[in-house]
Amino acid sequence: MSDERMIDTPQKTIGVLTSGGDAPGMNAAIRAVVRSGIAHGMKVMGVRRGYEGLLNGDLFEMSLRSVSDILQRGGTVLQTARSKEFCTEAGVQKAISIAKVFELDGLVVIGGDGSFRGARDLSTHGLPTVGIPGTIDNDIGCSEYTIGYDTCMNTVLNAIDRIRDTATSHERCSVVEVMGRNAGHIALNVGIATGAEVIVIPELPYDFDRDVLKPIFEGKSRGKKHNMVIVAEGVGGGVEMANRIEEMTGIETRATVLGYIQRGGSPTVRDRVMASQMGGKAVELLANGVGNRVIAYVNNQIKDFDILEGLSMKKSIDMEQYELFKILSL
Ligand code: F6P
């Protein structure tokens, strides 16, 4: 199928942008939106730098070939930003005017909950939008999965396996701080996958003596030679915690803050496929004249929710998983 053939057909125009923190797999989603859009006879405009680019009229037409060779790349070829101006009523009004200038009939927004709130505002001002959940944190209430989560967890897993090697050799305790602004999904799942001794996550209140020191002392009495403590960024203080553990236990303790290494890298199969399916679904909705939706992964299926309903849904930690973690860490 050539781009030229598509230009001859009556066209709807849709835009696509990435917003907020980037996540591996966003490029796969952009590619899916562009190719599915063109396959549906639409003109697809890429918006650079998220809502900031929309406000600046930084839009360009994307062709089939413009998304070649990006499927396997981390980051986002459209760049991303967090826009203060767009968070104001005047900013949203301006974005709507710019969307009219470019004759946008719809917009696909790939990002986290902050990006979805922006999509909601555009929707309520008359621009049909569809949100695609893209964030390594997996903290979107309506969706069991967000693009980038699997790649991030595998990156963290690899890092912690390596840290454990050296912690074992030196019989040290390691405190590793992982991402997750308000959510402990990365910490909990990687904690299970790496056999960590302790995890500290924002969803569960913790007591240092009971939840950190006690398992370390008890593990020592059962013959453990090293300890892995995973702290979610939302709780923070990994370095201070390491100092406190060393002070109280006498065990040499080192802290590692993994930082942005967790957000980069080539997406896993799961992220590429999920992003492709979500991108395809978003375009299908807009092609059928359906907007103001968010795409979600629920019960092994790609679904969609009303954007307000989706935003009102909350996700918590899986307590069964947490209890299992505690048993397995004995
Ligand atoms: O939302 C994803 C995330 O990676 C969080 O885990 C983290 O707190 C945040 O983004 C960091 O964002 P920034 O790029 O603004 O430092």
Side-chain angles (χ1 to χ4, degrees):
M1 182 187 325
S2 77
D3 291 11
E4 287 72 26
R5 205 192 84 202
M6 287 307 167
I7 288 162
D8 292 332
T9 55
Q11 283 180 316
K12 260 189 179 182
T13 302
I14 60 166
V16 55
L17 62 79
T18 48
S19 163
D22 65 351
M26 279 185 164
N27 283 329
I30 295 166
R31 173 179 176 269
V33 170
V34 171
R35 294 209 174 152
S36 304
I38 292 172
H40 277 89
M42 294 169 163
K43 178 172 161 185
V44 184
M45 304 291 287
V47 184
R48 290 193 188 90
R49 292 179 205 86
Y51 295 117
E52 197 64 28
L54 185 57
L55 289 171
N56 293 329
D58 199 353
L59 283 76
F60 63 103
E61 185 171 352
M62 299 187 82
S63 66
L64 292 172
R65 293 284 72 75
S66 71
V67 289
S68 296
D69 203 25
I70 66 167
L71 179 65
Q72 76 283 17
R73 294 183 203 282
T76 159
V77 292
L78 288 176
Q79 326 289 154
T80 184
R82 293 190 166 101
S83 171
K84 286 211 175 94
E85 187 185 354
F86 184 71
C87 293
T88 64
E89 171 62 23
V92 176
Q93 299 272 13
K94 185 175 163 191
I96 290 286
S97 305
I98 305 278
K100 282 192 181 131
V101 171
F102 285 89
E103 299 178 343
L104 294 189
D105 300 300
L107 180 69
V108 178
V109 172
I110 307 166
D113 51 359
S115 311
F116 282 7
R117 282 192 288 277
R120 170 203 62 198
D121 293 344
L122 290 174
S123 288
T124 52
H125 284 75
L127 177 64
T129 58
V130 179
I132 295 181
T135 164
I136 59 164
D137 289 353
N138 198 28
D139 61 348
I140 301 280
C142 64
S143 185
E144 288 163 19
Y145 192 80
T146 61
I147 296 167
Y149 180 49
D150 188 57
T151 307
C152 168
M153 285 196 297
N154 279 293
T155 303
V156 175
L157 178 98
N158 276 316
I160 292 182
D161 282 350
R162 283 166 168 74
I163 293 168
R164 187 182 270 283
D165 285 346
T166 170
T168 308
S169 306
H170 289 263
E171 297 182 56
R172 281 174 178 157
C173 173
S174 287
V175 177
V176 180
E177 194 176 309
V178 303
M179 274 191 172
R181 198 176 3 214
N182 303 308
H185 305 289
I186 299 169
L188 175 55
N189 282 275
V190 177
I192 292 173
T194 58
E197 275 66 36
V198 176
I199 62 159
V200 186
I201 52 179
E203 291 88 343
L204 301 174
Y206 88 102
D207 175 84
F208 180 73
D209 293 345
R210 182 197 61 205
D211 301 316
V212 180
L213 280 189
K214 194 162 172 256
I216 292 176
F217 278 124
E218 287 178 354
K220 196 175 174 188
S221 71
R222 284 193 302 268
K224 286 209 178 202
K225 298 231 178 313
H226 53 77
N227 285 279
M228 182 62 66
V229 177
I230 303 181
V231 186
E233 179 197 20
V235 177
V239 175
E240 295 75 29
M241 188 181 287
N243 291 338
R244 251 176 111 189
I245 292 172
E246 182 164 305
E247 195 185 308
M248 300 301 290
T249 63
I251 300 170
E252 229 184 342
T253 305
R254 297 283 193 267
T256 307
V257 179
L258 286 183
Y260 291 98
I261 190 173
Q262 298 164 91
R263 278 229 308 245
S266 181
T268 58
V269 171
R270 182 155 202 223
D271 276 324
R272 294 183 201 193
V273 174
M274 197 67 81
S276 301
Q277 286 180 289
M278 288 182 169
K281 178 78 175 178
V283 168
E284 192 186 298
L285 290 172
L286 289 174
N288 291 327
V290 181
N292 313 342
R293 310 292 290 177
V294 283
I295 306 294
Y297 181 71
V298 186
N299 289 333
N300 291 322
Q301 282 179 321
I302 307 290
K303 303 212 164 178
D304 57 288
F305 289 96
D306 173 80
I307 202 160
L308 293 176
E309 188 191 353
L311 272 171
S312 71
M313 291 163 84
K314 300 275 168 271
K315 182 192 274 187
S316 195
I317 214 74
D318 182 339
M319 283 310 289
E320 270 183 37
Q321 226 183 359
Y322 182 70
E323 293 306 328
L324 176 69
F325 161 77
K326 286 208 293 192
I327 292 168
L328 300 182
S329 65
L330 287 175

